[in-house]
Amino acid sequence: MSQGTLYDKVWDRHKVTTLPNGQDQLFVGLHLIHEVTSPQAFGMLRERDIEVARPDLTLATVDHIVPTADQSRPYGDDAAENMMSELEENVRDAGIDFLDPTSGEQGIVHVVGPEQGLTQPGKTIVCGDSHTSTHGAFGALAFGIGTSQIRDVLATQTIAMEKQKVRKIQVDGELGEGVEAKDIILEIIRRLGTEGGVGYVYEYAGEAIEDLDMEGRMSICNMSIEGGARAGYVNPDETTFEWLEETDYFQENPEKFDELKPYWESISSDDDAEYDDVVRIDASELDPVVTWGTTPGQGIGIHDPIPAPEDLADDKVDTARRAQDHMRVEPGETMDGYDIDVAFLGSCTNARLPDLRRAARIVEGREVDDDVRAFVVPGSQRVQRQAEEEGLKDVFEAAGFDWRNAGCSMCLGMNEDQLEGDEACASSSNRNFVGRQGSKDGRTVLMNPRMVAAAAITGEVSDVRDLEEVAVQ
Ligand SMILES: CC(C)[C@H](C(=O)O)[C@@H](O)C(=O)O
Ligand code: SF4
């Protein structure tokens, strides 16, 4: 086994050859596909009469277009129905497993991969979706890819890639009460910028990262891409192994667990590994972070003043001005007290069971503000089922939240869940771009799921630490 970072080791382990153009050809251990980015790639294969090389290493789900209310077929929206039927046909023809809504296992691609036990340390994982970086939480090398690369992977189960630099982001110290993984990553992107990671993969390390559960690590790795990094990962540890051992896959195949564990242990970065850059952050200094603008890098501690554009770096001045116009915020104000119309608890960043549990503890015994429409969209049917069994659905519904079926939903508004007009939304998702939630004038404020719960209750962006926690039975 080679020495160095996890990135080096997993790369070397999967390298087939160096191509004439200087790129490396890597073997792909898991190819995840969804309805939005795969149809064209399947079309390209069909045109050339090529079969899918490794359907056994490919897994499909439907997430972006799936309606979260009425899921009866045909879907009310023709475009959604067409994408769904096309995916059904493609996976049937190729013999690819499909977690469709009738399977009870459907969900957002970055939620279901880990749930199925298929996201594993030391694997190369790709998907035609930028947030594939999520899977790095398990110590996998996971990349979002484009259409021509999806084609290549379908046809050959390999991919041509250039090696990146590795930046270690060392997050020391302990998080304070009410502050969580989402705040760490929003802070990282605030400091390093949305382009700061270009040319890098991020290795997240340090006490605060080690203390996180797998879901927290997934929230962080998920947003690596928002910081410009090609991928993000956490070295696997006992937390990782324990989580994996509980999955159905390893429960049914315990011998596989024993067989793979030594490999998983061997691929962690060595203590003396060299990094191209190291950045340190002290987690104990963080407050909950919320965004004031229209990029995930325009974040701020809940009680900190919104910056004046002219105080920012030259290349950030114009975007900050435009963002402040769009969001209707003024420099010097804080985001605390910013009126919201919608609260969205969902997305592949923050709609896993522990996210919903924490948010439910804030919501229990309280009521959603009269002027707010609030809804919970679980990340997968499995999360939904478990949350229902635990009584979380009842807690949310009693407070006035709408409880929906699993999917991407209002994270990007590719289904009927969209902002209207200039509505402002407290969102647990990862992107606050203009128009992201379906309305060009819509305003998105990113925050952690407990903060979304607090905003739903108070009708404004609020410090969740001011709301007393109530224990869910
Ligand atoms: C639709 C898909 C290509 C897109 C992505 O790649 O990230 C989506 O998931 C998103 O979050 O914007
Ligand atoms: S939940 Fe949002 S970020 Fe995640 S895959 Fe779906 S649209 Fe993309």
Side-chain angles (χ1 to χ4, degrees), residues 175-180 286 288 450 464-465 469:
L175 285 170
E177 235 0 84
V179 189
E180 41 185 272
L286 297 183
R450 266 188 290 196
V464 63
R465 296 170 298 187
E469 253 188 45

Side-chain angles (χ1 to χ4, degrees), residues 224-245:
S224 305
I225 188 77
E226 304 305 335
R230 192 73 182 80
Y233 65 85
V234 176
N235 284 305
D237 60 9
E238 282 308 316
T239 305
T240 322
F241 306 144
E242 279 166 24
W243 199 98
L244 283 167
E245 198 169 12

Side-chain angles (χ1 to χ4, degrees), residues 36-37 64 128-131 412 431 436:
V36 182
T37 51
H64 289 71
D129 194 283
S130 54
H131 297 99
L412 89 169
R431 283 183 174 163
R436 169 74 176 176

